Amino acid sequence: MNRRRTKTAVLGLGTALLVTAGATGATGAAASASASASSAPSTATGVASTPSTPSISLDASASGERQREAAALTGRAKLYRSAGDDITFSFDAHLAAKDTDDPLKATGTFEWSHYAGGDGAWAKAEVDCLVTGGKVAVVSGVVTDSDLPGAKGKRVGITVHDTGRQDRLGYSWASTGNPVETKDLPKCVGSAPFEKVKKGTGDFTVVPWNPKF
């Protein structure tokens, strides 16, 4: 078997590759009135003319408060394989607060790699959709760089379950064995998270999405 066919086979196998406040307020100063006979008495009118303590603004743009992003998937970890395969996924995917109603405006990248017996491949994708619900995230993207023949330009989807103990992960090519064989995958489509993260290698963090409907 030539090296190219071996690489593709390693990444197949059905489980295969892949990869990867606060607002600040201000205190106003109160001025004291003169006690002389010519001074105005401390009446309601006099107090009203004195500077008062301004109310605290809750507007994020005025106070500099940072809004929480609408959704996110971040982190890096290896998957557990009893055969010892070295499979790593990493994510840096975000949906800005201003884009909370449109998950297709998500940005970022994700990467993954799969090596076994000294052979394998890696890939990197640019995010084109991110949807999270509770601690489950589905992210998709188009492969922009890879040493797996035929992978560039392919859309892939990854599903992550942030369990807080041993995270789980699934990928869109679970049924085909190879992302190159997946044709016309829609955005934000992945498989059930059937893989487990290898303990001690890292974890993934999901920021829940709260759409306005």
Side-chain angles (χ1 to χ4, degrees), residues 81-108:
R81 287 291 179 85
S82 59
D85 298 35
D86 185 353
I87 309 173
T88 304
F89 282 81
S90 62
F91 302 93
D92 187 19
H94 304 268
L95 180 65
K98 65 182 179 63
D99 297 322
T100 187
D101 293 332
D102 191 355
L104 300 184
K105 290 185 178 181
T107 60

Side-chain angles (χ1 to χ4, degrees), residues 14 34-35 56 63 66 91 106 149 173 207 212:
S34 171
I56 297 175
S63 65
R66 183 177 181 180
F91 302 93
W173 59 94
V207 174
K212 299 177 181 178

Side-chain angles (χ1 to χ4, degrees), residues 20-190:
T20 326
T24 58
T27 303
S32 61
S34 171
S36 63
S38 60
S39 298
S42 180
T43 61
T45 302
V47 172
S49 64
T50 306
S52 60
T53 303
S55 61
I56 297 175
S57 172
L58 297 180
D59 186 298
S61 61
S63 65
E65 179 182 1
R66 183 177 181 180
Q67 286 183 293
R68 197 207 81 167
E69 57 191 339
L73 170 59
T74 57
R76 177 185 178 88
K78 294 180 181 295
L79 299 187
Y80 169 77
R81 287 291 179 85
S82 59
D85 298 35
D86 185 353
I87 309 173
T88 304
F89 282 81
S90 62
F91 302 93
D92 187 19
H94 304 268
L95 180 65
K98 65 182 179 63
D99 297 322
T100 187
D101 293 332
D102 191 355
L104 300 184
K105 290 185 178 181
T107 60
T109 60
F110 56 93
E111 303 179 34
W112 67 104
S113 62
H114 184 170
Y115 295 95
D119 205 356
W122 63 272
K124 180 177 182 178
E126 184 174 348
V127 172
D128 61 13
C129 183
L130 173 66
V131 172
T132 67
K135 287 297 184 177
V136 176
V138 180
V139 63
S140 65
V142 175
V143 176
T144 57
D145 201 7
S146 177
D147 59 357
L148 176 66
K152 289 184 181 179
K154 288 286 185 177
R155 176 176 289 112
V156 295
I158 315 291
T159 304
V160 170
H161 186 189
D162 175 14
T163 70
R165 298 183 303 277
Q166 188 176 23
D167 297 344
R168 303 181 71 98
L169 184 147
Y171 30 80
S172 57
W173 59 94
S175 62
T176 63
N178 192 314
V180 176
E181 302 301 322
T182 304
K183 302 182 183 300
D184 304 319
L185 183 76
K187 296 179 180 181
C188 270
V189 172

Side-chain angles (χ1 to χ4, degrees), residues 184-206:
D184 304 319
L185 183 76
K187 296 179 180 181
C188 270
V189 172
S191 75
F194 61 94
E195 298 264 21
K196 291 182 179 180
V197 164
K198 184 177 181 180
K199 292 182 179 179
T201 65
D203 64 0
F204 306 121
T205 300
V206 173

